[in-house]
């Protein structure tokens, strides 16, 4: 530590004099923590606007509209005289979809003539379109069942006989690990660590890349006494301390304040987050060593960080991807963090039961040891091209 003191002081001075560090290391992560968790604080979006085209205009159709408006996610914002008007409202973005009840629906239902109702959703907005589609489909099935039940009662069937005909198989659904179907739990546990990883990539690449760009790399290397390992340790340790603090705040916020499911305990998740941060730093060193130009290194970091969200398995299952992408997914630290989170926090397994993912993150963290010679060559001999 005594030999690292000049390097640590040098790096702290550089960090203190450059606002980019503190924006990417403190302000931006804190903003993401507050923004994303508060945006999804209710778990699911509520009262999404829906339109209705009621050409039947009967007591039954008005009751149907009132029942549709009673759903938590749905709010009947307006009634339109025609399908064309409702379609234009969807195109303007006033509503996310509309429910169409044609003329004669009630009369046909009473005569068992199989009336048809239609519903349209704007799937440009995936979450809103999916939730509204679910509510409108459920309402249509309930109306169909109610009409059939009325006919069965009229024919003398008992309630038990009618329900056995309408629903011969009863479904009992249990949502494991997230029974509330809370989008905050579903997304924030991977989205926030992913954002932190992206900032780590950028800061690591920026810290080494500016040394190359500004021509201070030789001074940095000589301050380390000609040891590239010592130079790299002096560069990354101050950043690591700040990122460890931000990662701990993330875990405390998710599992201590918001009380998200965590069956392995908060200390274990903090340990997993710490290893994840080390892995992100190691991969960041690889990025600037592979492309020792600041703009190219930052481009590499931003591209790899953004792709991580799609290939981690959070939004789309990796097992359903093309085999080539399934193999590529192992090159992203966020994928291994996501699997550790699922195995430990959600399923409650011991960390050692998921040791391949721990080993993968440790491998990422040790990458700089294989790149010391290339980094030394970049610092001493690389000519920066603006």
């Amino acid at each position: 530590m005594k030999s690292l003191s000049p390097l640590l002081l040098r790096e702290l001075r550089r960090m203190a004099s450059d606002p980019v560090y503190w924006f990417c290391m403190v302000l931006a992560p804190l903003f993401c923590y507050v923004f994303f968790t508060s945006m999804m604080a209710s778990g699911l979006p509520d009262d999404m606007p829906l339109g209705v085209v009621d050409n039947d205009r009967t007591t039954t159709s008005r009751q149907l509209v009132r029942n549709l408006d009673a759903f938590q996610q749905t709010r009947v914002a307006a009634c339109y005289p025609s399908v064309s008007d409702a379609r234009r409202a969807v195109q303007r973005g006033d509503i996310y979809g509309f429910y169409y009840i044609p003329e004669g629906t009630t009369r046909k239902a009473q005569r068992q003539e199989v009336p048809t109702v239609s519903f349209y959703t704007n799937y440009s907005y995936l979450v809103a379109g999916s939730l509204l589609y679910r509510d409108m489909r459920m309402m249509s099935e309930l109306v169909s069942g109610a009409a059939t039940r009325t006919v069965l009662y009229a024919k003398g069937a008992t309630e038990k006989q009618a329900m056995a005909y309408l629903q011969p198989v009863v479904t009992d659904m249990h949502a494991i690990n997230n029974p509330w179907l809370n989008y905050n739990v579903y997304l924030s546990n991977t989205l926030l660590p992913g954002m932190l990883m992206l900032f780590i990539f950028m800061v690591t690449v920026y810290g080494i890349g500016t040394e190359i760009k500004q021509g201070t790399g030789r001074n940095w290397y000589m301050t380390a006494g000609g040891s590239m390992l010592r130079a790299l340790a002096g560069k990354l340790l101050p950043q690591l301390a700040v990122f460890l603090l931000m990662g701990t705040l993330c875990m405390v916020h998710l599992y201590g304040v918001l009380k998200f499911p965590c069956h392995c305990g908060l200390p274990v998740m903090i340990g997993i987050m710490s290893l994840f941060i080390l892995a992100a730093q190691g991969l960041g060193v690889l990025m600037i060593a592979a492309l020792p130009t600041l703009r190219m290194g930052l481009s590499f970091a931003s591209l790899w960080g953004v792709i991580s969200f799609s290939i981690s398995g959070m939004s789309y299952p990796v097992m359903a991807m093309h085999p080539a992408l399934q193999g590529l997914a192992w090159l992203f630290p966020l994928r291994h963090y996501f699997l550790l989170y699922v195995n430990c926090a959600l399923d409650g397994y011991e960390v050692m039961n998921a040791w391949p993912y721990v080993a993968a993150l440790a491998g990422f963290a040790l990458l700089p040891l294989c790149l010391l010679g290339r980094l030394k060559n970049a610092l001493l001999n690389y000519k920066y091209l603006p």
Side-chain angles (χ1 to χ4, degrees):
M1 290 301 298
K2 185 176 181 180
S3 62
L4 285 176
S5 297
L7 289 166
L8 296 176
L9 291 175
R10 180 181 183 277
E11 184 62 22
L12 288 172
R13 285 194 295 267
R14 289 177 65 88
M15 292 169 60
S17 62
D18 192 342
V20 172
Y21 282 103
W22 298 108
F23 175 80
C24 292
M25 296 169 66
V26 179
L27 296 180
L30 288 177
F31 172 78
C32 291
Y33 297 167
V34 175
F35 175 75
F36 286 110
T37 54
S38 61
M39 180 179 65
M40 299 178 287
S42 60
L44 286 173
D46 296 331
D47 293 333
M48 291 177 291
L50 179 75
V52 172
V53 179
D54 183 8
N55 289 341
D56 194 37
R57 292 183 291 276
T58 62
T59 303
T60 302
S61 65
R62 288 192 290 271
Q63 181 64 37
L64 190 156
V65 174
R66 285 194 294 270
N67 290 339
L68 188 62
D69 187 52
F71 281 106
Q72 182 180 0
Q73 278 83 42
T74 302
R75 174 176 60 87
V76 177
C79 293
Y80 298 94
S82 67
V83 172
S84 298
D85 293 331
R87 176 179 55 80
R88 285 192 288 269
V90 172
Q91 292 173 333
R92 289 195 303 268
D94 297 337
I95 54 177
Y96 292 120
F98 63 91
Y99 195 89
Y100 173 51
I101 307 173
E103 185 179 357
T105 298
T106 303
R107 183 179 67 254
K108 290 181 180 180
Q110 292 171 348
R111 295 178 180 178
Q112 287 189 292
E113 296 180 2
V114 192
T116 300
V117 296
S118 305
F119 40 92
Y120 302 82
T121 56
N122 186 354
Y123 260 95
S124 299
Y125 307 96
L126 181 60
V127 174
S130 300
L131 294 176
L132 288 180
Y133 172 81
R134 184 193 66 183
D135 287 353
M136 290 189 287
R137 180 173 179 175
M138 182 181 297
M139 180 53 60
S140 300
E141 292 174 351
L142 292 175
V143 171
S144 175
T148 304
R149 184 183 62 180
T150 302
V151 173
L152 291 173
Y153 286 168
K155 291 182 177 181
T158 64
E159 181 178 358
K160 185 176 181 180
Q161 291 172 332
M163 293 308 298
Y165 176 80
L166 293 172
Q167 194 177 18
V169 178
V170 179
T171 303
D172 189 12
M173 185 187 73
H174 299 274
I176 300 175
N177 296 326
N178 187 9
W180 317 276
L181 300 180
N182 189 328
Y183 270 63
N184 205 0
V185 173
Y186 169 65
L187 292 175
S188 294
N189 279 289
T190 308
L191 193 61
L192 297 187
M195 295 298 298
L196 183 63
M197 178 197 67
L198 179 59
F199 294 132
I200 294 172
F201 285 168
M202 305 293 283
V203 170
T204 304
V205 170
Y206 180 80
I208 300 176
T210 50
E211 298 276 9
I212 300 174
K213 179 180 178 179
Q214 297 170 1
T216 58
R218 183 177 295 273
N219 174 265
W220 172 36
Y221 180 72
M222 297 308 296
T223 304
S227 171
M228 195 64 233
L229 180 61
R230 190 181 299 124
L232 202 56
K235 171 68 69 174
L236 297 182
L237 281 176
Q239 300 175 15
L240 176 63
V242 178
F243 281 125
L244 286 176
L245 175 62
M246 301 310 299
T248 302
L249 286 177
C250 179
M251 296 295 98
V252 171
H253 182 57
L254 292 179
Y255 305 116
V257 178
L258 300 180
K259 304 296 182 182
F260 286 175
C262 182
H263 298 299
C264 64
L266 181 59
V268 174
M269 286 307 300
I270 292 176
I272 292 173
M273 170 58 72
S274 301
L275 182 59
F276 175 63
I277 291 171
L278 287 168
Q281 277 195 318
L283 190 55
V285 173
L286 170 66
M287 292 171 177
I288 190 61
L291 299 172
T293 304
L294 183 59
R295 64 176 184 276
M296 295 299 294
L298 290 176
S299 298
F300 188 5
S302 58
L303 177 64
W304 208 253
V306 171
I307 294 177
S308 298
F309 293 103
S310 300
I311 208 167
S312 66
M314 171 190 67
S315 58
Y316 188 83
V318 172
M319 64 185 69
M321 296 180 183
H322 189 277
L325 294 179
Q326 294 183 31
L328 185 64
W330 292 94
L331 301 179
F332 292 82
L334 188 60
R335 171 63 179 166
H336 304 285
Y337 173 85
F338 175 73
L339 293 173
L340 283 170
Y341 155 70
V342 171
N343 279 271
C344 298
L346 294 185
D347 295 334
Y349 296 144
E350 295 291 335
V351 176
M352 293 314 299
N353 285 349
W355 67 266
Y357 314 127
V358 175
L361 291 180
F364 282 113
L366 295 175
L367 278 177
L369 298 179
C370 306
L371 303 167
L372 298 177
R374 184 174 177 84
L375 276 175
K376 176 181 176 181
N377 181 64
L379 292 177
L380 299 180
N381 304 317
Y382 185 78
K383 301 298 182 182
Y384 182 80
L385 300 176

